[in-house]
């Protein structure tokens, strides 16, 4: 049984949609061999669950990036997700991070940027201040500000498992949706242990057993990094060859590491000559 899945559901008697995600293996792969402090492990788990919930709202091929930045002890925490529920992420920090550090302490005067990049079409970015106590509350603020859609978000992570739920009003002709507030109150009773230990069906039954609900087929969530030797070679081609030659002369090779998955790519002098020979070769006439 795949432990990493996203479940979408609709309420038949309300203009409200819901999502539930439970993550384990993909979460551990994002943490990987990075020696993240426990507080950052929790933060990345919450961001991972949040990004999965957001990518499920995409109605096109593309990806979403949820990025937190500041000049504080954590300069960056970012998760990228595709419409196929393929996720990756990384964080950068300096110094000691207390286990009980608040979001404001981690990101003083920080901000959250949510970037939506369709494969076809214009990129869109929304930015909100990290001025609320939790990532979930900041995301709710983003939806209120950028999308004008009442949204409830619940996020949990403990370094081993991550999970989240989202409720959102669907665009409708009704100016108000009393059912949404009722469903919000029901969902707010969810606990981390329930999401970690119970199946999605069991969780939904506990929360909404008196509601008419349609549950769709689950979607598998996975960790996937897009790095490759070819992408690194492409990046090298964008640098002046004289600069690359100086690195070869000093170090004997060009070494590149992927922050997301810790893959290492090594290019010696022969590799470099081949890269630039390919980039400078004239195109063959048809």
């Amino acid at each position: 049984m795949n432990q990493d899945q996203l479940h979408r559901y609709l309420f038949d008697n309300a203009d409200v949609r819901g999502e539930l995600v439970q993550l384990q293996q993909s979460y551990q792969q994002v943490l990987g061999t990075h020696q993240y402090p426990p507080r950052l492990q929790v933060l990345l788990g919450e961001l991972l669950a949040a990004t999965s919930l957001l990518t499920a709202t995409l109605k096109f091929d593309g990806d979403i990036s949820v990025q937190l930045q500041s000049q504080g002890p954590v300069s960056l925490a970012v998760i990228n997700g595709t419409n196929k529920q393929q996720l990756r992420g990384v964080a950068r920090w300096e110094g000691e991070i207390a286990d009980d550090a608040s979001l404001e302490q981690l990101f003083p005067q920080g901000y959250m940027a949510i970037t939506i990049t369709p494969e076809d079409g214009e990129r869109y970015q929304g930015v909100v201040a990290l001025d609320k106590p939790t990532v979930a509350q900041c995301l709710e603020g983003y939806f209120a500000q950028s999308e004008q859609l009442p949204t409830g978000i619940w996020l949990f992570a403990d370094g081993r498992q991550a999970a989240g739920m989202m409720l959102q009003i669907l665009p409708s002709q009704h100016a108000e949706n009393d059912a949404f507030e009722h469903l919000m109150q029901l969902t707010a009773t969810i606990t981390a242990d329930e999401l970690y230990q119970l199946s999605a069906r069991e969780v939904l039954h506990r929360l909404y057993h008196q509601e008419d609900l349609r549950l769709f087929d689950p979607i598998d969530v996975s960790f996937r990094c897009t790095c490759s030797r070819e992408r690194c070679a492409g990046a090298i081609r964008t640098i002046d060859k004289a600069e690359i030659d100086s690195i070869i002369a000093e170090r004997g090779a060009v070494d590149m590491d992927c922050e997301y998955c810790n893959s290492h790519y090594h290019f010696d002098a022969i590799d470099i000559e081949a890269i630039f020979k390919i980039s400078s070769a004239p195109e063959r006439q048809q």
Side-chain angles (χ1 to χ4, degrees):
M1 177 181 174
N2 188 352
Q3 297 293 317
D4 294 53
Q5 290 187 326
L6 179 130
H7 305 261
R8 296 178 300 122
Y9 53 96
L10 285 174
F11 295 93
D12 288 332
N13 298 325
D15 295 320
V16 178
R17 67 179 172 189
E19 297 173 13
L20 184 157
V21 66
Q22 296 168 308
L23 306 171
Q24 193 169 54
Q25 183 176 358
S26 58
Y27 181 24
Q28 293 308 309
Q29 288 176 294
V30 165
L31 297 181
T33 57
H34 296 284
Q35 299 300 312
Y36 290 122
R39 179 65 180 91
L40 287 193
Q41 292 180 21
V42 170
L43 176 71
L44 283 171
E46 292 178 348
L47 287 177
L48 196 70
T51 306
S52 175
L53 294 170
L54 293 184
T55 56
T57 67
L58 289 178
K59 297 178 176 64
F60 49 79
D61 292 345
D63 63 71
I64 286 181
S65 168
V66 180
Q67 181 173 310
L68 310 186
Q69 280 191 263
S70 79
Q71 299 299 316
V74 184
S75 59
L76 173 73
V78 58
I79 301 290
N80 296 329
T82 73
N83 61 293
K84 297 179 180 178
Q85 288 292 325
Q86 296 169 332
L87 307 174
R88 63 176 184 157
V90 71
R92 299 181 195 143
W93 81 99
E94 290 185 358
E96 296 291 325
I97 303 293
D99 292 353
D100 60 351
S102 68
L103 193 62
E104 183 181 8
Q105 290 170 331
L106 295 176
F107 299 93
Q109 297 182 324
Y111 65 89
M112 172 189 291
I114 297 177
T115 307
I116 301 172
T117 308
E119 289 186 5
D120 298 310
E122 294 293 321
R123 189 174 81 158
Y124 167 80
Q125 185 176 75
V127 179
V128 293
L130 291 174
D131 56 0
K132 295 179 176 60
T134 68
V135 170
Q137 289 171 321
C138 291
L139 280 168
E140 290 172 352
Y142 162 79
F143 277 105
Q145 173 183 307
S146 300
E147 308 290 336
Q148 287 82 52
L149 283 175
T151 303
I153 296 176
W154 297 263
L155 302 172
F156 305 94
D158 65 0
R160 299 182 304 277
Q161 294 172 273
M165 294 188 71
M166 182 169 82
L167 283 187
Q168 191 170 70
I169 283 186
L170 292 169
S172 70
Q173 297 178 346
H174 302 96
E176 297 182 2
N177 194 325
D178 293 336
F180 179 70
E181 292 302 325
H182 169 64
L183 295 170
M184 283 279 290
Q185 292 173 5
L186 293 178
T187 311
T189 64
I190 193 63
T191 67
D193 285 343
E194 286 175 319
L195 281 174
Y196 295 157
Q197 298 172 12
L198 302 178
S199 70
R201 286 186 177 276
E202 289 174 310
V203 170
L204 296 178
H205 178 72
R206 283 197 179 191
L207 293 176
Y208 311 122
H209 60 274
Q210 293 183 328
E211 311 297 327
D212 293 325
L213 180 148
R214 274 183 291 158
L215 178 62
F216 298 96
D217 291 338
I219 303 169
D220 290 342
V221 183
S222 63
F223 170 83
R224 182 175 182 270
C225 189
T226 58
C227 75
S228 68
R229 187 172 179 83
E230 291 72 24
R231 280 178 175 258
C232 290
I236 290 172
R237 288 190 197 99
T238 66
I239 303 172
D240 186 77
K241 189 171 185 300
E243 185 176 344
I244 297 295
D245 287 341
S246 69
I247 295 174
I248 293 290
E250 179 184 348
R251 305 176 187 174
V254 174
D255 292 291
M256 302 178 74
D257 296 303
C258 176
E259 284 189 296
Y260 290 96
C261 67
N262 281 331
S263 293
H264 178 77
Y265 300 96
H266 180 85
F267 299 88
D268 60 21
I270 295 174
D271 296 324
I272 296 300
E273 289 303 318
I275 287 172
F276 281 94
K277 183 176 181 181
I278 291 172
S279 64
S280 61
E283 292 187 8
R284 182 178 298 173
Q285 297 296 319
Q286 297 294 324

